[in-house]
Amino acid sequence: MGMTLAEKILSARAKAPCRAGDIIISPVDLVFAQDTTGPLTVRQFEALGLGKLASPSRTVFFLDHAAPSPSKELANDHRLLREFARRTGAVISEVGEGICHQRVVEDYASPGEVIVGADSHTVTAGGLGAFATGMGSSDIAVAMALGRTWLRVPEGFQIALNGSFSRGVFAKDLILYIISRIGADGATYQSLEFMGQGLKGLSMADRFAVANMAVEAGAKVGLFPSDETTHSYLRARGREKDSHPLSPDPDAHYVNSLEVALSRLEPMVARPHRVDNAVPVEEVKGTPIHQVFIGTCTNGRLEDLEIAARLLAGKKARSRLIVAPASRGIFLEAMKRGYLQALAEAGAMLVAPGCGPCLGVHMGVLGDGENCLSTANRNFQGRMGNPQAFIYLASPATAAATAIKGEISDPREFL
Amino acid sequence: MRKTLRVGDDISTDHIIPGRFAHLRSNLPELAKHALEDTYPSFAQKVNPGDFLVAGKNFGLGSSREHAAIVLKVAGIKAVLAKSCARIFFRNAINVGLPVLITNTDAIDEGDELEVDWATGQVKDLAKGIELGFGRIPPVMLKILEEGGLVPFIQKYKNLELPGG
């Protein structure tokens, strides 16, 4: 019997055929932490007493979650990470360089690699066929020290995509739809694997947005095959040598499956306080929105800023509008192309490349009873710094349309 | 024989440790005072060393922040009982020496006294006079748990050569 993508990648890395349910020890090709999980990782690493990093040039600390720092405590956490990196040779991605997951897919991740990060959205790199998964600080400290980690090979959950998106519908709507169908624990411990003829129409930005949210269905990874789209992306980034095709075997065994006709999808909105509480935009249209946030590791990419700028150009946002490009590279390119100008003219506050208001640490904390529509991946109570506030999740197009009207709106009215 | 504190379904890591306390993450005793603050405001006052935290389904969904598991332990929780548990939280909890027992928790109420028999895999609810079985923890994780967590495990064995899966 053939192998799923997860089984294939892990078999290759562990150098022994393995199957769902097996416990294996795998080498890791990249290990990272960010500024809120990194300090504990460093302390656990030091407690291990094993000395050196297994691979300093493939050990990265990203200063992205509280960047620039809003408090002396977090500034001291940044200091601790910088000093640790200086001492051990680990790489620091400084304040302003961007979100770990975006930086990883820009410069590090390749198809077939095993990547572990101290952040649940490490799964983003599954968009280009890397077995990338989030872990806690102790696991990451051990992976940094030994260059290896233990894994249970996940069962596969097949998502077959057919057709193509209709106007105003995007990758974010697809993943919100999937999570609403299978539930926030619908793929717990499984490998969510995307396949089918519909893949052809999904850009890398689309794949990253979908893979990013696999964890919101409980999955260990969200995996896309490596195809011509993947190859073009890596080539454009000067990483052609990292590119190779990768796909599951046609007779691989999947424990579960879901088929999605992309053309039948509508713009989706996840209502507070659950990601799986998603409905077509029609059902929540007109809900007043005080703040719109466009950014994050889910939807802070160039394509996202482009569609938002297209909708908002020449208009004035009625909601407070915060825009955070996911990386410095995206910020610069969006500036060159005029997207940031259009957004700023429409009233957007442009904030540093990084996680921004997503996790409630700074920049955009909500007031009591306020509603926010965000392009992020989570709307848990308290997520954006106030348990008395309400978070809705949607695509950048829906976010832009909503900002224009000051209430949840259907982007198709503006396209 | 220990008291239980009860929470519902889908308690996320944002519920356990909200992002607005990120500045306390390098100060775990202080952070622990805010554990579950928005969901269960009296948690930090009520919890006593050795208590059980009883939850519904999909406990610990969300972030990879290991702090969420650590603060429950620092606050005094001996074990978490849940109908199901999110993957990253489950692994983090074992790594910091906090057992997570998967069992049908529907009948267990706040304040019930529980007795856990680790050898037979049974939980007894003394208030209700019922016994519930709990799912076995994978051998790899049991071994880590027996050593008190992943860091002590590695300190002792120096590597990851784990016992059979």
Side-chain angles (χ1 to χ4, degrees):
Chain A
M1 194 174 54
M3 286 183 171
T4 66
L5 263 177
E7 288 170 333
K8 253 187 176 172
I9 295 170
L10 294 178
S11 295
R13 295 306 286 123
K15 293 198 165 63
C18 61
R19 291 290 180 184
D22 291 349
I23 304 269
I24 61 155
I25 293 174
S26 170
V28 297
D29 300 295
L30 179 74
V31 55
F32 70 88
Q34 30 82 344
D35 49 332
T36 61
T37 57
L40 182 57
T41 304
V42 164
R43 282 192 284 274
Q44 300 294 55
F45 178 87
E46 277 163 357
L48 294 172
L50 296 179
K52 291 196 299 202
L53 295 170
S55 176
S57 66
R58 300 290 284 180
T59 302
V60 190
F61 290 92
F62 295 91
L63 310 186
D64 57 358
H65 275 56
S69 171
S71 70
K72 64 179 168 36
E73 291 87 351
L74 292 168
N76 285 332
D77 282 347
H78 288 178
R79 276 191 59 194
L80 185 145
L81 297 178
R82 289 189 192 103
E83 279 161 18
F84 179 78
R86 209 159 26 235
R87 207 164 59 241
T88 58
V91 181
I92 281 273
S93 174
E94 263 297 341
V95 170
E97 288 298 323
I99 307 173
C100 51
H101 312 300
Q102 178 59 24
R103 297 279 297 107
V104 162
V105 298
E106 285 176 358
D107 289 345
Y108 294 97
S110 306
E113 285 188 339
V114 172
I115 295 174
V116 294
D119 189 298
S120 57
H121 295 108
T122 300
V123 286
T124 311
L128 45 70
F131 188 98
T133 194
M135 294 180 172
S137 294
S138 295
D139 274 314
I140 293 303
V142 169
M144 284 179 176
L146 301 178
R148 291 177 299 159
T149 193
W150 75 268
L151 296 164
R152 180 182 174 279
V153 182
E155 278 84 23
F157 190 135
Q158 176 183 57
I159 308 279
L161 307 175
N162 300 310
S164 54
F165 293 121
S166 39
R167 194 177 54 94
V169 179
F170 299 87
K172 180 61 159 286
D173 302 307
L174 166 64
I175 188 64
L176 287 177
Y177 170 78
I178 291 170
I179 296 167
S180 74
R181 281 288 306 273
I182 70 178
D185 57 355
T188 297
Y189 213 89
Q190 295 173 348
S191 160
L192 218 48
E193 301 196 5
F194 298 85
M195 51 197 71
Q197 158 273 332
L199 276 181
K200 282 204 294 285
L202 262 62
S203 69
M204 288 312 291
D206 292 339
R207 297 174 188 202
F208 295 142
V210 169
N212 174 273
M213 289 188 68
V215 70
E216 308 312 330
K220 185 188 185 89
V221 284
L223 278 170
F224 281 80
S226 166
D227 58 12
E228 193 44 50
T229 306
T230 325
H231 180 70
S232 306
Y233 173 85
L234 290 169
R235 196 177 48 209
R237 300 207 57 85
R239 298 205 286 130
E240 199 165 355
K241 62 169 180 30
D242 297 337
S243 176
H244 61 93
L246 187 67
S247 56
D249 292 325
D251 57 343
H253 174 68
Y254 288 89
V255 294
N256 219 333
S257 68
L258 178 73
E259 222 176 293
V260 184
L262 298 177
S263 63
R264 290 224 287 270
L265 293 178
E266 291 180 80
M268 300 287 290
V269 177
R271 297 172 294 188
H273 298 289
R274 298 172 56 112
V275 181
D276 59 3
N277 195 12
V279 292
V281 65
E282 191 59 36
E283 289 188 32
V284 282
K285 228 168 107 175
T287 307
I289 294 292
H290 307 90
Q291 176 170 301
V292 167
F293 173 44
I294 299 175
T296 80
C297 55
T298 320
N299 281 119
R301 275 173 269 279
L302 193 64
E303 293 82 348
D304 303 319
L305 303 182
E306 179 185 12
I307 185 77
R310 214 170 95 205
L311 267 69
L312 278 153
K315 301 195 176 70
K316 281 275 178 253
R318 283 195 194 161
S319 311
R320 300 192 299 273
L321 174 60
I322 303 176
V323 175
S327 72
R328 188 192 298 283
I330 292 169
F331 190 98
L332 287 168
E333 190 58 32
M335 188 150 67
K336 250 187 257 169
R337 298 192 188 188
Y339 306 156
L340 297 185
Q341 171 115 20
L343 290 166
E345 282 172 357
M349 295 166 267
L350 302 172
V351 303
C355 303
C358 173
L359 68 159
V361 175
H362 64 153
M363 294 196 295
V365 172
L366 301 167
D368 292 349
E370 283 194 327
N371 293 333
C372 177
L373 187 132
S374 162
T375 65
N377 39 42
R378 285 191 177 136
N379 58 351
F380 303 147
Q381 189 174 15
R383 175 78 183 174
M384 290 178 75
N386 185 346
Q388 312 301 333
F390 302 88
I391 307 165
Y392 295 78
L393 306 176
S395 77
T398 303
T402 297
I404 293 168
K405 290 183 93 168
E407 57 186 42
I408 296 179
S409 302
D410 190 326
R412 291 171 295 195
E413 289 171 30
F414 295 90
L415 285 165
Chain B
M1 194 167 69
R2 290 298 178 180
K3 212 161 62 22
T4 66
L5 293 104
R6 187 72 163 92
V7 289
D9 290 340
D10 299 296
I11 297 298
S12 73
T13 50
D14 281 298
H15 291 118
I16 303 170
I17 285 303
R20 69 180 187 279
F21 299 119
H23 61 288
L24 294 177
R25 284 193 201 175
S26 286
N27 185 350
L28 292 165
E30 203 49 43
L31 190 62
K33 293 181 187 164
H34 299 283
L36 286 164
E37 189 171 288
D38 300 332
T39 317
Y40 189 146
S42 56
F43 177 80
Q45 286 77 52
K46 274 196 184 169
V47 65
N48 288 306
D51 284 351
F52 293 107
L53 182 65
V54 176
K57 72 176 180 66
N58 208 17
F59 184 77
L61 72 157
S63 166
S64 70
R65 57 188 80 148
E66 193 169 298
H67 312 72
I70 296 177
V71 295
L72 295 179
K73 200 181 165 193
V74 170
I77 293 295
K78 185 181 170 63
V80 174
L81 283 73
K83 284 171 87 172
S84 61
C85 184
R87 178 191 65 81
I88 301 176
F89 184 89
F90 189 84
R91 185 163 169 155
N92 281 346
I94 301 296
N95 281 347
V96 303
L98 176 71
V100 179
L101 309 179
I102 303 304
T103 185
N104 186 351
T105 57
D106 282 345
I108 308 174
D109 289 312
E110 170 96 13
D112 285 3
E113 288 193 342
L114 301 183
E115 210 170 58
V116 173
D117 188 329
W118 301 92
T120 61
Q122 294 285 314
V123 185
K124 201 182 281 178
D125 184 324
L126 301 172
K128 306 267 163 40
I130 49 170
E131 255 187 82
L132 304 159
F134 57 83
R136 102 190 212 292
I137 295 173
V140 175
M141 291 180 143
L142 207 53
K143 187 82 187 147
I144 291 170
L145 202 52
E146 279 167 13
E147 298 299 339
L150 184 62
V151 168
F153 178 96
I154 297 286
Q155 282 170 341
K156 183 166 171 184
Y157 296 102
K158 309 291 179 203
N159 63 38
L160 265 178
E161 302 313 319
L162 298 166

PDB file of all heavy atoms in Angstrom, chain A residues 162-189:
ATOM      1  N   ASN A 162     -11.779  20.510  -5.977  1.00  0.00           N
ATOM      2  CA  ASN A 162     -12.162  20.512  -7.392  1.00  0.00           C
ATOM      3  C   ASN A 162     -12.545  21.918  -7.827  1.00  0.00           C
ATOM      4  O   ASN A 162     -13.041  22.694  -7.023  1.00  0.00           O
ATOM      5  CB  ASN A 162     -13.376  19.608  -7.619  1.00  0.00           C
ATOM      6  CG  ASN A 162     -13.074  18.185  -7.223  1.00  0.00           C
ATOM      7  OD1 ASN A 162     -12.053  17.625  -7.632  1.00  0.00           O
ATOM      8  ND2 ASN A 162     -13.921  17.619  -6.386  1.00  0.00           N
ATOM      9  N   GLY A 163     -12.334  22.183  -9.122  1.00  0.00           N
ATOM     10  CA  GLY A 163     -12.782  23.457  -9.687  1.00  0.00           C
ATOM     11  C   GLY A 163     -11.921  24.622  -9.248  1.00  0.00           C
ATOM     12  O   GLY A 163     -10.763  24.450  -8.853  1.00  0.00           O
ATOM     13  N   SER A 164     -12.484  25.817  -9.311  1.00  0.00           N
ATOM     14  CA  SER A 164     -11.718  27.008  -8.926  1.00  0.00           C
ATOM     15  C   SER A 164     -12.639  27.998  -8.226  1.00  0.00           C
ATOM     16  O   SER A 164     -13.865  27.929  -8.344  1.00  0.00           O
ATOM     17  CB  SER A 164     -11.067  27.641 -10.159  1.00  0.00           C
ATOM     18  OG  SER A 164     -12.044  27.889 -11.137  1.00  0.00           O
ATOM     19  N   PHE A 165     -12.029  28.929  -7.483  1.00  0.00           N
ATOM     20  CA  PHE A 165     -12.793  29.913  -6.717  1.00  0.00           C
ATOM     21  C   PHE A 165     -13.626  30.794  -7.631  1.00  0.00           C
ATOM     22  O   PHE A 165     -13.168  31.177  -8.707  1.00  0.00           O
ATOM     23  CB  PHE A 165     -11.838  30.831  -5.937  1.00  0.00           C
ATOM     24  CG  PHE A 165     -11.071  30.145  -4.836  1.00  0.00           C
ATOM     25  CD1 PHE A 165      -9.679  30.135  -4.838  1.00  0.00           C
ATOM     26  CD2 PHE A 165     -11.738  29.530  -3.780  1.00  0.00           C
ATOM     27  CE1 PHE A 165      -8.961  29.523  -3.818  1.00  0.00           C
ATOM     28  CE2 PHE A 165     -11.025  28.909  -2.756  1.00  0.00           C
ATOM     29  CZ  PHE A 165      -9.638  28.903  -2.776  1.00  0.00           C
ATOM     30  N   SER A 166     -14.809  31.149  -7.189  1.00  0.00           N
ATOM     31  CA  SER A 166     -15.540  32.174  -7.940  1.00  0.00           C
ATOM     32  C   SER A 166     -15.128  33.556  -7.416  1.00  0.00           C
ATOM     33  O   SER A 166     -14.441  33.668  -6.406  1.00  0.00           O
ATOM     34  CB  SER A 166     -17.057  31.950  -7.877  1.00  0.00           C
ATOM     35  OG  SER A 166     -17.443  31.512  -6.615  1.00  0.00           O
ATOM     36  N   ARG A 167     -15.590  34.581  -8.089  1.00  0.00           N
ATOM     37  CA  ARG A 167     -15.194  35.958  -7.798  1.00  0.00           C
ATOM     38  C   ARG A 167     -15.477  36.315  -6.335  1.00  0.00           C
ATOM     39  O   ARG A 167     -16.552  36.030  -5.817  1.00  0.00           O
ATOM     40  CB  ARG A 167     -15.986  36.890  -8.726  1.00  0.00           C
ATOM     41  CG  ARG A 167     -15.512  38.310  -8.815  1.00  0.00           C
ATOM     42  CD  ARG A 167     -16.375  39.044  -9.840  1.00  0.00           C
ATOM     43  NE  ARG A 167     -17.803  38.899  -9.506  1.00  0.00           N
ATOM     44  CZ  ARG A 167     -18.488  39.785  -8.778  1.00  0.00           C
ATOM     45  NH1 ARG A 167     -17.899  40.875  -8.341  1.00  0.00           N
ATOM     46  NH2 ARG A 167     -19.763  39.591  -8.514  1.00  0.00           N
ATOM     47  N   GLY A 168     -14.500  36.910  -5.665  1.00  0.00           N
ATOM     48  CA  GLY A 168     -14.702  37.334  -4.277  1.00  0.00           C
ATOM     49  C   GLY A 168     -14.473  36.253  -3.238  1.00  0.00           C
ATOM     50  O   GLY A 168     -14.665  36.492  -2.049  1.00  0.00           O
ATOM     51  N   VAL A 169     -14.081  35.058  -3.678  1.00  0.00           N
ATOM     52  CA  VAL A 169     -13.836  33.946  -2.748  1.00  0.00           C
ATOM     53  C   VAL A 169     -12.346  33.597  -2.780  1.00  0.00           C
ATOM     54  O   VAL A 169     -11.747  33.535  -3.853  1.00  0.00           O
ATOM     55  CB  VAL A 169     -14.695  32.719  -3.125  1.00  0.00           C
ATOM     56  CG1 VAL A 169     -14.428  31.559  -2.175  1.00  0.00           C
ATOM     57  CG2 VAL A 169     -16.169  33.089  -3.113  1.00  0.00           C
ATOM     58  N   PHE A 170     -11.783  33.379  -1.601  1.00  0.00           N
ATOM     59  CA  PHE A 170     -10.335  33.223  -1.493  1.00  0.00           C
ATOM     60  C   PHE A 170      -9.982  32.011  -0.616  1.00  0.00           C
ATOM     61  O   PHE A 170     -10.858  31.369  -0.037  1.00  0.00           O
ATOM     62  CB  PHE A 170      -9.726  34.506  -0.899  1.00  0.00           C
ATOM     63  CG  PHE A 170      -9.971  35.713  -1.756  1.00  0.00           C
ATOM     64  CD1 PHE A 170     -11.132  36.470  -1.618  1.00  0.00           C
ATOM     65  CD2 PHE A 170      -9.064  36.071  -2.753  1.00  0.00           C
ATOM     66  CE1 PHE A 170     -11.378  37.568  -2.431  1.00  0.00           C
ATOM     67  CE2 PHE A 170      -9.299  37.172  -3.568  1.00  0.00           C
ATOM     68  CZ  PHE A 170     -10.460  37.921  -3.407  1.00  0.00           C
ATOM     69  N   ALA A 171      -8.660  31.770  -0.520  1.00  0.00           N
ATOM     70  CA  ALA A 171      -8.164  30.623   0.235  1.00  0.00           C
ATOM     71  C   ALA A 171      -8.661  30.661   1.680  1.00  0.00           C
ATOM     72  O   ALA A 171      -8.961  29.618   2.275  1.00  0.00           O
ATOM     73  CB  ALA A 171      -6.640  30.602   0.202  1.00  0.00           C
ATOM     74  N   LYS A 172      -8.736  31.857   2.265  1.00  0.00           N
ATOM     75  CA  LYS A 172      -9.194  31.968   3.648  1.00  0.00           C
ATOM     76  C   LYS A 172     -10.616  31.433   3.800  1.00  0.00           C
ATOM     77  O   LYS A 172     -10.949  30.785   4.801  1.00  0.00           O
ATOM     78  CB  LYS A 172      -9.135  33.432   4.083  1.00  0.00           C
ATOM     79  CG  LYS A 172      -9.583  33.723   5.508  1.00  0.00           C
ATOM     80  CD  LYS A 172      -8.712  32.988   6.522  1.00  0.00           C
ATOM     81  CE  LYS A 172      -8.773  33.623   7.899  1.00  0.00           C
ATOM     82  NZ  LYS A 172      -8.035  34.880   7.958  1.00  0.00           N
ATOM     83  N   ASP A 173     -11.444  31.684   2.784  1.00  0.00           N
ATOM     84  CA  ASP A 173     -12.822  31.188   2.831  1.00  0.00           C
ATOM     85  C   ASP A 173     -12.837  29.663   2.779  1.00  0.00           C
ATOM     86  O   ASP A 173     -13.641  29.020   3.454  1.00  0.00           O
ATOM     87  CB  ASP A 173     -13.625  31.783   1.670  1.00  0.00           C
ATOM     88  CG  ASP A 173     -13.623  33.314   1.709  1.00  0.00           C
ATOM     89  OD1 ASP A 173     -13.975  33.862   2.772  1.00  0.00           O
ATOM     90  OD2 ASP A 173     -13.239  33.944   0.712  1.00  0.00           O
ATOM     91  N   LEU A 174     -11.911  29.104   1.975  1.00  0.00           N
ATOM     92  CA  LEU A 174     -11.802  27.641   1.873  1.00  0.00           C
ATOM     93  C   LEU A 174     -11.466  27.022   3.231  1.00  0.00           C
ATOM     94  O   LEU A 174     -12.143  26.089   3.677  1.00  0.00           O
ATOM     95  CB  LEU A 174     -10.730  27.280   0.836  1.00  0.00           C
ATOM     96  CG  LEU A 174     -10.246  25.832   0.838  1.00  0.00           C
ATOM     97  CD1 LEU A 174     -11.378  24.871   0.469  1.00  0.00           C
ATOM     98  CD2 LEU A 174      -9.068  25.644  -0.123  1.00  0.00           C
ATOM     99  N   ILE A 175     -10.465  27.552   3.896  1.00  0.00           N
ATOM    100  CA  ILE A 175     -10.050  26.909   5.159  1.00  0.00           C
ATOM    101  C   ILE A 175     -11.090  27.161   6.257  1.00  0.00           C
ATOM    102  O   ILE A 175     -11.360  26.279   7.078  1.00  0.00           O
ATOM    103  CB  ILE A 175      -8.605  27.296   5.563  1.00  0.00           C
ATOM    104  CG1 ILE A 175      -8.137  26.461   6.764  1.00  0.00           C
ATOM    105  CG2 ILE A 175      -8.443  28.786   5.842  1.00  0.00           C
ATOM    106  CD1 ILE A 175      -8.028  24.971   6.516  1.00  0.00           C
ATOM    107  N   LEU A 176     -11.730  28.334   6.246  1.00  0.00           N
ATOM    108  CA  LEU A 176     -12.802  28.558   7.241  1.00  0.00           C
ATOM    109  C   LEU A 176     -13.955  27.585   6.999  1.00  0.00           C
ATOM    110  O   LEU A 176     -14.545  27.043   7.941  1.00  0.00           O
ATOM    111  CB  LEU A 176     -13.300  30.007   7.193  1.00  0.00           C
ATOM    112  CG  LEU A 176     -12.363  31.070   7.779  1.00  0.00           C
ATOM    113  CD1 LEU A 176     -12.957  32.467   7.595  1.00  0.00           C
ATOM    114  CD2 LEU A 176     -12.052  30.815   9.252  1.00  0.00           C
ATOM    115  N   TYR A 177     -14.249  27.352   5.721  1.00  0.00           N
ATOM    116  CA  TYR A 177     -15.313  26.396   5.377  1.00  0.00           C
ATOM    117  C   TYR A 177     -14.942  24.986   5.872  1.00  0.00           C
ATOM    118  O   TYR A 177     -15.753  24.304   6.508  1.00  0.00           O
ATOM    119  CB  TYR A 177     -15.542  26.389   3.862  1.00  0.00           C
ATOM    120  CG  TYR A 177     -16.447  25.278   3.400  1.00  0.00           C
ATOM    121  CD1 TYR A 177     -17.829  25.380   3.551  1.00  0.00           C
ATOM    122  CD2 TYR A 177     -15.918  24.105   2.852  1.00  0.00           C
ATOM    123  CE1 TYR A 177     -18.665  24.342   3.147  1.00  0.00           C
ATOM    124  CE2 TYR A 177     -16.740  23.070   2.453  1.00  0.00           C
ATOM    125  CZ  TYR A 177     -18.115  23.190   2.603  1.00  0.00           C
ATOM    126  OH  TYR A 177     -18.934  22.152   2.223  1.00  0.00           O
ATOM    127  N   ILE A 178     -13.711  24.575   5.598  1.00  0.00           N
ATOM    128  CA  ILE A 178     -13.274  23.226   6.005  1.00  0.00           C
ATOM    129  C   ILE A 178     -13.385  23.072   7.527  1.00  0.00           C
ATOM    130  O   ILE A 178     -13.924  22.084   8.028  1.00  0.00           O
ATOM    131  CB  ILE A 178     -11.825  22.946   5.526  1.00  0.00           C
ATOM    132  CG1 ILE A 178     -11.788  22.829   3.998  1.00  0.00           C
ATOM    133  CG2 ILE A 178     -11.258  21.680   6.180  1.00  0.00           C
ATOM    134  CD1 ILE A 178     -10.383  22.791   3.401  1.00  0.00           C
ATOM    135  N   ILE A 179     -12.894  24.076   8.262  1.00  0.00           N
ATOM    136  CA  ILE A 179     -12.916  23.972   9.730  1.00  0.00           C
ATOM    137  C   ILE A 179     -14.362  23.975  10.243  1.00  0.00           C
ATOM    138  O   ILE A 179     -14.691  23.248  11.184  1.00  0.00           O
ATOM    139  CB  ILE A 179     -12.066  25.094  10.368  1.00  0.00           C
ATOM    140  CG1 ILE A 179     -10.598  24.925   9.971  1.00  0.00           C
ATOM    141  CG2 ILE A 179     -12.189  25.082  11.896  1.00  0.00           C
ATOM    142  CD1 ILE A 179      -9.718  26.126  10.264  1.00  0.00           C
ATOM    143  N   SER A 180     -15.222  24.747   9.593  1.00  0.00           N
ATOM    144  CA  SER A 180     -16.626  24.755  10.036  1.00  0.00           C
ATOM    145  C   SER A 180     -17.276  23.400   9.765  1.00  0.00           C
ATOM    146  O   SER A 180     -18.169  22.982  10.501  1.00  0.00           O
ATOM    147  CB  SER A 180     -17.410  25.872   9.338  1.00  0.00           C
ATOM    148  OG  SER A 180     -17.662  25.538   7.983  1.00  0.00           O
ATOM    149  N   ARG A 181     -16.816  22.721   8.730  1.00  0.00           N
ATOM    150  CA  ARG A 181     -17.376  21.399   8.417  1.00  0.00           C
ATOM    151  C   ARG A 181     -16.868  20.321   9.362  1.00  0.00           C
ATOM    152  O   ARG A 181     -17.631  19.465   9.809  1.00  0.00           O
ATOM    153  CB  ARG A 181     -17.007  20.993   6.961  1.00  0.00           C
ATOM    154  CG  ARG A 181     -17.869  21.636   5.898  1.00  0.00           C
ATOM    155  CD  ARG A 181     -19.294  21.067   5.842  1.00  0.00           C
ATOM    156  NE  ARG A 181     -19.333  19.617   5.703  1.00  0.00           N
ATOM    157  CZ  ARG A 181     -19.292  18.973   4.544  1.00  0.00           C
ATOM    158  NH1 ARG A 181     -19.229  19.629   3.415  1.00  0.00           N
ATOM    159  NH2 ARG A 181     -19.339  17.652   4.512  1.00  0.00           N
ATOM    160  N   ILE A 182     -15.564  20.325   9.652  1.00  0.00           N
ATOM    161  CA  ILE A 182     -15.011  19.195  10.423  1.00  0.00           C
ATOM    162  C   ILE A 182     -14.853  19.520  11.915  1.00  0.00           C
ATOM    163  O   ILE A 182     -14.675  18.616  12.720  1.00  0.00           O
ATOM    164  CB  ILE A 182     -13.677  18.665   9.829  1.00  0.00           C
ATOM    165  CG1 ILE A 182     -12.527  19.666  10.015  1.00  0.00           C
ATOM    166  CG2 ILE A 182     -13.837  18.342   8.348  1.00  0.00           C
ATOM    167  CD1 ILE A 182     -11.188  19.142   9.491  1.00  0.00           C
ATOM    168  N   GLY A 183     -14.916  20.797  12.280  1.00  0.00           N
ATOM    169  CA  GLY A 183     -14.843  21.181  13.696  1.00  0.00           C
ATOM    170  C   GLY A 183     -13.426  21.465  14.157  1.00  0.00           C
ATOM    171  O   GLY A 183     -12.452  21.045  13.531  1.00  0.00           O
ATOM    172  N   ALA A 184     -13.338  22.192  15.290  1.00  0.00           N
ATOM    173  CA  ALA A 184     -12.042  22.621  15.816  1.00  0.00           C
ATOM    174  C   ALA A 184     -11.197  21.450  16.307  1.00  0.00           C
ATOM    175  O   ALA A 184     -10.007  21.613  16.567  1.00  0.00           O
ATOM    176  CB  ALA A 184     -12.231  23.633  16.942  1.00  0.00           C
ATOM    177  N   ASP A 185     -11.820  20.263  16.438  1.00  0.00           N
ATOM    178  CA  ASP A 185     -11.031  19.083  16.804  1.00  0.00           C
ATOM    179  C   ASP A 185     -11.205  17.990  15.750  1.00  0.00           C
ATOM    180  O   ASP A 185     -10.919  16.822  15.999  1.00  0.00           O
ATOM    181  CB  ASP A 185     -11.401  18.578  18.204  1.00  0.00           C
ATOM    182  CG  ASP A 185     -12.888  18.241  18.324  1.00  0.00           C
ATOM    183  OD1 ASP A 185     -13.642  18.501  17.348  1.00  0.00           O
ATOM    184  OD2 ASP A 185     -13.306  17.714  19.367  1.00  0.00           O
ATOM    185  N   GLY A 186     -11.653  18.394  14.560  1.00  0.00           N
ATOM    186  CA  GLY A 186     -12.001  17.419  13.520  1.00  0.00           C
ATOM    187  C   GLY A 186     -10.828  16.665  12.935  1.00  0.00           C
ATOM    188  O   GLY A 186     -11.002  15.618  12.297  1.00  0.00           O
ATOM    189  N   ALA A 187      -9.621  17.182  13.111  1.00  0.00           N
ATOM    190  CA  ALA A 187      -8.441  16.507  12.541  1.00  0.00           C
ATOM    191  C   ALA A 187      -7.362  16.358  13.612  1.00  0.00           C
ATOM    192  O   ALA A 187      -6.173  16.355  13.294  1.00  0.00           O
ATOM    193  CB  ALA A 187      -7.909  17.290  11.351  1.00  0.00           C
ATOM    194  N   THR A 188      -7.784  16.233  14.872  1.00  0.00           N
ATOM    195  CA  THR A 188      -6.799  16.166  15.955  1.00  0.00           C
ATOM    196  C   THR A 188      -5.773  15.070  15.696  1.00  0.00           C
ATOM    197  O   THR A 188      -6.131  13.943  15.411  1.00  0.00           O
ATOM    198  CB  THR A 188      -7.500  15.948  17.320  1.00  0.00           C
ATOM    199  OG1 THR A 188      -8.319  17.079  17.573  1.00  0.00           O
ATOM    200  CG2 THR A 188      -6.489  15.815  18.459  1.00  0.00           C
ATOM    201  N   TYR A 189      -4.538  15.477  15.761  1.00  0.00           N
ATOM    202  CA  TYR A 189      -3.372  14.626  15.558  1.00  0.00           C
ATOM    203  C   TYR A 189      -3.166  14.159  14.123  1.00  0.00           C
ATOM    204  O   TYR A 189      -2.229  13.450  13.814  1.00  0.00           O
ATOM    205  CB  TYR A 189      -3.345  13.402  16.494  1.00  0.00           C
ATOM    206  CG  TYR A 189      -1.919  13.104  16.793  1.00  0.00           C
ATOM    207  CD1 TYR A 189      -1.299  13.706  17.864  1.00  0.00           C
ATOM    208  CD2 TYR A 189      -1.154  12.369  15.898  1.00  0.00           C
ATOM    209  CE1 TYR A 189       0.041  13.564  18.052  1.00  0.00           C
ATOM    210  CE2 TYR A 189       0.181  12.222  16.081  1.00  0.00           C
ATOM    211  CZ  TYR A 189       0.782  12.812  17.155  1.00  0.00           C
ATOM    212  OH  TYR A 189       2.112  12.681  17.329  1.00  0.00           O
TER     213      TYR A 189
END
